[in-house]
């Protein structure tokens, strides 16, 4: 009996420990932001949401349902193939914003969207709901087993599964976040439609579907299982889990090089959601391995990742520092979703350190204070960001941007059954209604290095107030005062400091969070350095931006900051010793975060350079990463940068338009078309080839083009193909592997008679031959 009693005690303790491993996030409605940059961003976002015309966003759904739209659709991505994707994001964004603010105008707009979408679903009659243009035709083809899938198209349409995922996610958020019961019914009907869609397909055929970007459909289907308990939805979630990504992750293998980054992250969010819903530890470990791989080896100081939307080699970040197209905002939006999942299931301040860094330095910076969102945030020294035109630009990062700034309250606090956790130091008010606890956090962090909490309770209660100890604070220097007295704190698990006492209304807790400046080199160890103060990335403004596309136009490529590149040799260069660099960054203001880096800067032109929080810079050219060299190595480093830059600048100035072939967005932006063609990677470079044909439309606005340059690999054999411009054959290329084992460029002169403002370049395989692997296409002066 004594043994049984001891065993029961052991099991009770063990189960208690297991239960304590998970935390619960507060609902957004329980947290209200107070004055801070986050509240300002939230208000800017809300104003933009309400300025949008709901009927324009609904137009693709009404048209697809056979109903008469009340307005024409918006332009840009909203009427060039991705019609309706912003409408789905909009439903999510309204749901998040209503929960975060309680603003009834936002609720009214959300209710209107659901009303109109329900009409569309009812008209379709089978649960289907989408704005995909002529979507019904391709779904019929797919249901019959006629599947033509590639990375950014499916049966000739621009990522329709990705598109429809947005309305799935919107309906789920409308129900789960904003409490709209009709949205739940609509979501279940739409999911049943998908079950019917694939009911006659084999698992392999469904995997073929998943070659095309499809967002986080597996996450949504796992969520439908969670709210219904019906395992048919869990089965669907597993069917829509891409095995080509899951299998390497389950084997703890990083096979991400060259993959389109934001295609993969939502899949992994789905893996983790299935793991949570069904206790699948293998999927959960795969998701965590992915997170660690991306965060530890593929992420720059601001928390973002990818170049030109793709994962570059983890041991070579050179393309990150050269490209206009740095980390994509959508990637960080999705990485924060994954981080939240992983943190709540296995709390650790490691997740929160990443979450905080990315929130301040990528998400907060991605919205202009006057409105407008950023697609790419270049890490190239001296470049800039382009902001969306609120009524013209409707990229994917506008959709996720609408959501980003309406959910800042989601991770500030968390709780278990007894204790309250403080995760982030953001001015806010929390109402823990079930416990009768109100907590107000007053702070101007990170402008000041402390935060203050005030408690109001319905009755005195004993619990732990657990405060995160960030990685950027030395443990011995973080102090806690309760009602003016320094108190001893307990080291709780997972990187928290715990204060356990009987709390009363009026209790005040002050937490001192001393920050220091550190120097962070690129993850590949190369000689490029960023400076970080606490969790805040510091950057230098080089000038006020006057670029013509600071605000994007409605063109397909308007999201790219296409203005002149600052020559690398003109960028400020940092010299000194790696071990003492950070010590030479000195505060230059007692009131704001502003630092002088003058002792480090080699270029005299920038002798008065100031480092300030990156989130305070907009409409400017900036430097986040500085080239670095020791004092001894300075002459050689300067010479090397100069030589490399001369070659690149010469190519840049001679280029009118360029397609990075095989990469999703560049090809889409250049109106890619093709048959019997595929893409891949070789020696870390993307290519496109095939036994049929493919084409692009290149822009020649000023009629300055004189030649076409294509990048090939010399060892390609048995390749025989034609190059056509505007339908006319201008060159036949035969390759037999005689050009060496290197990449080389081939120039093709363009007849003057074919020069137009848009030039269609088409590659055609000759009979029983293949097109060579083409790695890049340039239109040259």
């Amino acid at each position: 009996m004594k043994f049984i009693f001891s065993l029961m005690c052991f099991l009770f303790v063990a189960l208690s420990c297991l239960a304590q491993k998970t935390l619960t996030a507060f609902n957004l409605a329980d947290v209200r932001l107070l004055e801070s940059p986050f509240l300002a961003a939230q208000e800017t976002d809300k104003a933009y949401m309400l300025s949008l015309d709901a009927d324009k966003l609904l137009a693709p759904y009404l048209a697809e349902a056979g109903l008469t739209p009340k307005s024409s659709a918006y332009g840009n991505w909203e009427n060039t193939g991705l019609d309706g994707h912003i409408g789905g994001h909009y439903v999510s964004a309204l749901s998040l914003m209503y929960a975060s603010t309680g603003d009834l105008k936002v609720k009214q707009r959300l209710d209107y969207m659901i009303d109109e979408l329900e009409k569309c679903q009812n008209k379709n009659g089978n649960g289907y709901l989408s704005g995909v243009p002529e979507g019904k035709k391709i779904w019929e083809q797919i249901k019959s087993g006629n599947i033509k899938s590639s990375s950014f198209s499916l049966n000739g349409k621009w990522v329709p599964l990705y598109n429809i995922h947005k309305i799935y996610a919107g309906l789920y958020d409308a129900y789960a976040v904003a409490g709209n019961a009709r949205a739940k019914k609509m979501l279940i009907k739409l999911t049943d439609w998908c079950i019917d869609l694939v009911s006659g397909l084999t698992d392999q055929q469904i995997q073929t579907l998943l070659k095309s970007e499809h967002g986080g459909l597996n996450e949504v289907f796992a969520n439908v299982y969670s709210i219904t308990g019906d395992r048919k939805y869990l089965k669907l979630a597993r069917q829509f889990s891409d095995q080509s990504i899951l299998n390497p992750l389950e084997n703890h293998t990083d096979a991400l090089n060259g993959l389109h980054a934001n295609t993969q992250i939502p899949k992994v969010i789905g893996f983790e959601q299935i793991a949570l819903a069904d206790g699948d530890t293998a999927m959960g470990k795969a998701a965590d391995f992915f997170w660690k791989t991306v965060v530890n080896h593929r992420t720059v100081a601001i928390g973002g990742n990818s170049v030109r939307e793709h994962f570059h080699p983890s041991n070579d970040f050179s393309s990150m520092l050269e490209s206009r197209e740095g980390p994509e905002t959508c990637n960080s939006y999705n990485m924060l979703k994954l981080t939240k999942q992983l943190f709540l299931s296995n709390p650790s301040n490691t997740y929160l350190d990443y979450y905080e860094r990315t929130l301040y330095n990528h998400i907060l910076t991605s919205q202009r204070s006057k409105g407008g969102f950023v697609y790419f945030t270049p890490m190239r020294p001296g470049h800039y960001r382009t902001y969306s035109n609120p009524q013209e630009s409707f990229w994917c990062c506008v959709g996720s941007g609408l959501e980003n700034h309406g959910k800042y309250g989601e991770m500030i606090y968390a709780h278990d059954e007894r204790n309250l956790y403080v995760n982030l130091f953001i001015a806010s008010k929390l109402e823990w209604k079930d416990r009768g606890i109100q907590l107000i956090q007053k702070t101007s962090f990170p402008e000041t290095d402390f935060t203050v909490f005030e408690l109001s309770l319905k009755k005195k209660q004993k619990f732990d107030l657990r405060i995160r100890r960030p990685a950027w604070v030395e443990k011995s220097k973080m102090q806690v005062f309760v009602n003016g007295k320094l108190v001893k704190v307990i080291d709780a698990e997972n990187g928290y400091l715990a204060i356990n006492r009987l709390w009363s209304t009026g209790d005040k807790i002050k937490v001192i969070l001393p920050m220091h400046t550190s120097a962070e080199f690129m993850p590949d160890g190369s000689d490029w350095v960023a400076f970080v103060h606490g969790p805040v990335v510091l950057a230098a403004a080089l000038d006020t931006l006057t670029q013509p596309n600071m605000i994007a136009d409605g063109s397909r490529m308007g999201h790219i900051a296409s203005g002149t590149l600052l020559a690398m040799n003109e960028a400020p260069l940092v010299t000194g010793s790696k071990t003492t660099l950070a010590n030479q960054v000195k505060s230059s203001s007692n009131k704001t975060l502003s630092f002088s880096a003058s002792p480090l800067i080699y270029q005299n032109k920038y002798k008065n350079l100031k480092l300030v929080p990156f989130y305070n810079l907009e409409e400017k050219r900036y430097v986040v990463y500085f080239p670095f060299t020791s004092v001894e190595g300075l002459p050689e480093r300067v010479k090397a940068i100069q030589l490399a830059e001369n070659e690149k600048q010469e190519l840049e100035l001679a280029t009118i338009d360029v397609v990075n072939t095989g990469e999703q967005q560049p090809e889409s932006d250049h109106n890619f078309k093709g048959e019997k063609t595929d893409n891949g990677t070789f020696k870390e470079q993307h290519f496109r080839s095939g036994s049929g044909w493919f084409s692009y439309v290149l822009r020649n606005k000023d009629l300055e083009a004189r030649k076409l340059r294509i990048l090939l690999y010399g060892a390609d054999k048995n390749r025989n193909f034609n190059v056509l411009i505007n339908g006319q054959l201008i060159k036949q290329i035969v390759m037999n592997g005689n050009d060496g084992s290197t990449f080389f460029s081939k120039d093709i002169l363009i007849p003057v008679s074919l020069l137009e403002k848009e030039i269609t370049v088409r590659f055609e395989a000759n009979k029983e031959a293949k097109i060579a692997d083409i790695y890049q296409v340039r239109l040259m002066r």
Side-chain angles (χ1 to χ4, degrees):
M1 180 63 73
K2 183 177 180 180
F3 170 77
I4 293 174
F5 177 77
S6 298
L7 180 61
M8 290 177 66
C9 289
F10 170 79
L11 290 173
F12 176 80
V13 171
L15 290 171
S16 297
C17 291
L18 286 172
Q20 291 171 1
K21 284 186 177 181
T22 62
L23 292 180
T24 301
F26 285 96
N27 295 326
L28 279 173
D30 297 329
V31 181
R32 292 287 182 262
L33 299 182
L34 303 178
E35 185 176 355
S36 69
F38 295 99
L39 178 61
Q42 178 179 277
E43 290 299 306
T44 298
D45 188 25
K46 184 174 72 170
Y48 175 46
M49 284 185 200
L50 294 175
S51 76
L52 289 171
D53 187 330
D55 287 327
K56 285 184 174 294
L57 294 173
L58 287 163
Y61 293 88
L62 290 162
E64 177 67 2
L67 298 170
T68 303
K70 298 179 181 180
S71 172
S72 60
Y74 278 115
N76 194 239
W77 291 18
E78 272 293 295
N79 71 355
T80 54
L82 212 56
D83 312 37
H85 77 122
I86 294 293
H89 276 295
Y90 192 55
V91 174
S92 287
L94 290 168
S95 302
L96 296 165
M97 188 62 75
Y98 172 59
S100 292
T101 65
D103 191 320
L104 292 178
K105 290 181 181 178
V106 177
K107 183 180 185 301
Q108 290 168 0
R109 184 67 61 87
L110 174 62
D111 290 344
Y112 179 74
M113 291 291 294
I114 296 298
D115 288 345
E116 294 296 300
L117 290 168
E118 188 177 38
K119 292 176 186 176
C120 296
Q121 190 176 52
N122 289 340
K123 180 66 166 60
N124 287 326
N126 59 351
Y128 175 59
L129 177 63
S130 169
V132 175
E134 299 181 342
K136 292 177 181 178
K137 292 181 181 179
I138 68 163
W139 305 128
E140 287 176 6
Q141 294 168 358
I142 288 167
K143 186 174 181 179
S144 70
N146 178 11
I147 301 169
K148 299 176 183 178
S149 183
S150 65
S151 59
F152 63 90
S153 69
L154 181 62
N155 287 49
K157 296 295 181 181
W158 187 9
V159 290
L161 287 172
Y162 167 92
N163 190 340
I164 201 170
H165 166 256
K166 305 313 165 198
I167 195 60
Y168 271 109
L171 293 173
Y172 176 76
D173 289 335
Y175 165 67
V177 178
N180 190 302
R182 282 184 300 143
K184 177 182 178 182
K185 294 178 181 178
M186 293 166 66
L187 173 63
I188 293 170
K189 287 181 181 179
L190 184 55
T191 309
D192 286 338
W193 166 82
C194 189
I195 289 176
D196 179 68
L197 175 72
V198 300
S199 60
L201 303 182
T202 65
D203 285 345
Q204 185 54 53
Q205 284 177 307
I206 296 174
Q207 289 297 306
T208 300
L209 276 180
L210 301 185
K211 289 181 180 179
S212 180
E213 187 177 8
H214 53 275
L217 283 172
N218 56 347
E219 178 205 6
V220 169
F221 299 148
N223 284 332
V224 175
Y225 163 66
S226 295
I227 63 177
T228 63
D230 193 328
R231 293 190 70 86
K232 70 179 181 181
Y233 302 120
L234 183 62
K235 177 185 176 183
L236 187 66
R238 291 187 177 278
Q239 288 178 307
F240 272 79
S241 291
D242 185 353
Q243 298 299 310
S244 69
I245 297 302
L246 178 60
N247 291 337
L249 293 176
E250 287 189 329
N251 291 322
H252 286 194
T253 299
D254 178 356
L256 299 177
N257 284 358
L259 296 181
H260 185 259
N262 199 48
T263 295
Q264 318 314 323
I265 306 170
K267 299 175 187 178
V268 179
I269 294 170
F271 299 159
E272 175 63 11
Q273 198 58 40
I274 292 169
L276 295 172
D278 200 36
D280 189 323
T281 56
M283 269 193 168
K285 289 178 180 178
D288 194 51
F289 174 77
F290 175 88
W291 186 92
K292 289 173 180 173
T293 296
V294 172
V295 171
N296 295 334
H297 305 296
R298 298 181 174 276
T299 295
V300 292
I302 64 168
N305 60 73
S306 82
V307 175
R308 297 197 307 269
E309 303 192 8
H310 291 73
F311 285 125
H312 54 78
S314 59
N315 62 353
D316 183 3
F317 276 66
S318 59
S319 59
M320 176 71 75
L321 296 158
E322 295 169 1
S323 180
R324 311 166 183 274
E325 301 167 51
E328 179 186 355
T329 306
C330 277
N331 292 14
S332 290
Y333 156 86
N334 276 312
M335 283 300 294
L336 291 192
K337 288 184 71 172
L338 177 59
T339 304
K340 177 183 176 182
Q341 288 175 309
L342 293 169
F343 166 75
L344 292 174
S345 63
N346 185 23
S348 168
N349 63 0
T350 302
Y351 297 121
L352 292 173
D353 286 333
Y354 169 76
Y355 190 100
E356 179 182 58
R357 176 75 74 91
T358 308
L359 197 70
Y360 275 96
N361 303 297
H362 199 186
I363 299 301
L364 185 59
T365 68
S366 65
Q367 181 180 234
R368 184 168 169 250
S369 59
K370 301 172 187 175
F373 301 115
V374 171
Y375 197 118
F376 295 120
T377 298
M379 291 293 100
R380 182 186 174 101
H383 210 53
Y384 66 97
R385 291 165 290 181
T386 289
Y387 302 91
S388 63
N389 185 315
Q391 300 297 322
E392 288 187 30
S393 308
F394 292 98
W395 327 311
C396 55
C397 292
V398 171
S400 59
L402 282 163
E403 296 181 43
N404 278 331
H405 309 282
K407 57 176 183 173
Y408 283 125
E410 68 174 359
M411 283 283 280
I412 301 175
Y413 309 101
H415 67 90
D416 58 23
E417 291 183 359
R418 289 189 62 255
N419 305 308
L420 176 58
Y421 290 72
V422 177
N423 301 323
L424 300 172
F425 310 112
I426 296 174
S428 51
K429 181 173 73 172
L430 167 70
E431 296 279 355
W432 192 356
K433 298 180 181 67
D434 292 343
R435 293 286 298 275
I437 297 173
Q438 180 191 88
L439 181 142
I440 296 176
Q441 182 173 184
K442 296 181 178 180
T443 186
S444 56
F445 177 86
E447 296 291 337
T448 54
D449 65 352
F450 65 90
T451 187
V452 176
F453 303 96
E454 296 180 0
L455 281 168
S456 178
L457 300 92
K458 289 186 177 179
K459 61 180 181 180
K460 291 183 178 182
Q461 296 185 51
K462 190 171 185 179
F463 60 89
D464 281 4
L465 179 62
R466 298 192 172 187
I467 301 168
R468 166 175 157 256
R469 179 170 60 80
W472 43 262
V473 172
E474 293 180 32
K475 179 180 175 181
S476 60
K477 294 183 178 179
M478 185 172 172
Q479 296 178 306
V480 179
F481 296 81
V482 176
N483 298 330
K485 294 182 180 180
L486 181 65
V487 298
K488 185 177 181 180
V489 294
I490 303 167
D491 277 331
E493 63 268 9
N494 308 320
Y496 285 83
L497 301 180
I499 314 153
N500 182 272
R501 58 180 277 142
L502 184 65
W503 298 99
S504 303
T505 292
D507 283 342
K508 290 187 178 181
I509 306 96
K510 183 175 183 179
V511 182
I512 308 298
L513 298 159
M515 292 177 281
H516 64 277
T517 303
S518 59
E520 287 190 7
F521 284 80
M522 268 290 177
D524 63 355
S526 58
D527 283 338
W528 293 84
V529 65
F531 295 98
V532 185
H533 187 72
V536 178
V537 173
L538 303 175
L542 298 189
D543 64 19
T544 299
L545 194 62
T546 57
Q547 293 300 323
N549 78 324
M550 182 188 75
I551 306 299
D553 58 22
S555 68
R556 283 289 295 272
M557 295 176 66
H559 56 286
I560 299 172
S562 58
T564 304
L565 296 173
L566 178 73
M568 287 283 199
N569 55 295
E570 293 182 16
L573 188 151
V574 165
T575 63
S577 168
K578 285 187 176 184
T579 57
T580 60
L581 279 182
N583 298 337
Q584 296 180 61
V585 177
K586 305 294 184 182
S587 176
S588 58
S589 172
N590 293 326
K591 296 181 180 179
T592 60
L593 287 180
S594 179
F595 300 85
S596 171
S598 296
L600 295 170
I601 304 301
Y602 161 69
Q603 295 280 8
N604 290 331
K605 179 179 178 181
Y606 301 110
K607 62 183 178 181
N608 294 319
L609 208 63
K610 300 292 183 187
L611 296 176
V612 298
F614 185 45
Y615 63 72
N616 281 340
L617 294 183
E618 60 181 46
E619 301 182 22
K620 295 181 185 297
R621 289 181 177 269
Y622 57 82
V623 181
V624 170
Y625 276 95
F626 296 81
F628 164 80
T629 181
S630 64
V631 175
E632 297 79 14
L634 180 59
E636 186 178 342
R637 177 79 155 134
V638 171
K639 182 180 178 180
I641 292 174
Q642 178 75 60
L643 289 173
E645 190 60 21
N646 287 345
E647 183 179 341
K648 290 169 186 171
Q649 283 290 318
E650 184 179 344
L651 181 61
E652 173 74 16
L653 292 172
T655 299
I656 296 171
D657 200 359
V658 59
V659 185
N660 292 295
T661 52
E663 296 185 12
Q664 176 171 330
Q665 203 55 52
E667 290 199 323
S668 180
D669 288 338
H670 288 88
N671 197 28
F672 165 82
K673 292 181 181 178
E675 293 180 2
K676 296 182 180 179
T677 175
D678 208 349
N679 60 324
T681 58
F682 176 68
K683 290 186 178 291
E684 310 297 354
Q685 292 218 62
H686 290 84
F687 67 81
R688 179 165 290 283
S689 62
S691 58
W693 64 271
F694 58 90
S695 68
Y696 306 104
V697 177
L698 286 81
R699 293 156 182 81
N700 183 31
K701 179 181 176 183
D702 299 320
L703 301 177
E704 295 180 339
R706 291 296 177 267
K707 61 185 177 183
L708 189 72
R709 176 173 292 178
I710 58 176
L711 185 64
L712 303 164
Y713 186 69
D716 267 2
K717 295 180 180 179
N718 304 318
R719 304 299 174 100
N720 188 331
F721 64 101
N722 297 326
V723 182
L724 296 87
I725 289 182
N726 293 340
Q728 184 173 321
L729 175 65
I730 62 166
K731 189 72 175 179
Q732 181 178 8
I733 297 176
V734 178
M735 296 181 66
N736 292 313
N738 300 323
D739 295 300
S741 298
T742 58
F743 294 101
F744 73 98
S745 295
K746 189 170 189 66
D747 289 349
I748 302 169
L749 295 178
I750 303 174
V752 175
S753 61
L754 297 179
L755 292 179
E756 298 178 8
K757 290 188 176 182
E758 289 192 341
I759 293 178
T760 299
V761 179
R762 178 172 166 130
F763 302 93
E764 288 183 352
N766 283 316
K767 189 176 181 181
E768 296 182 0
K770 285 191 70 177
I771 304 167
D773 295 348
I774 296 178
Y775 294 85
Q776 196 175 69
V777 178
R778 284 182 183 268
L779 194 61
M780 310 283 289
R781 289 181 172 84

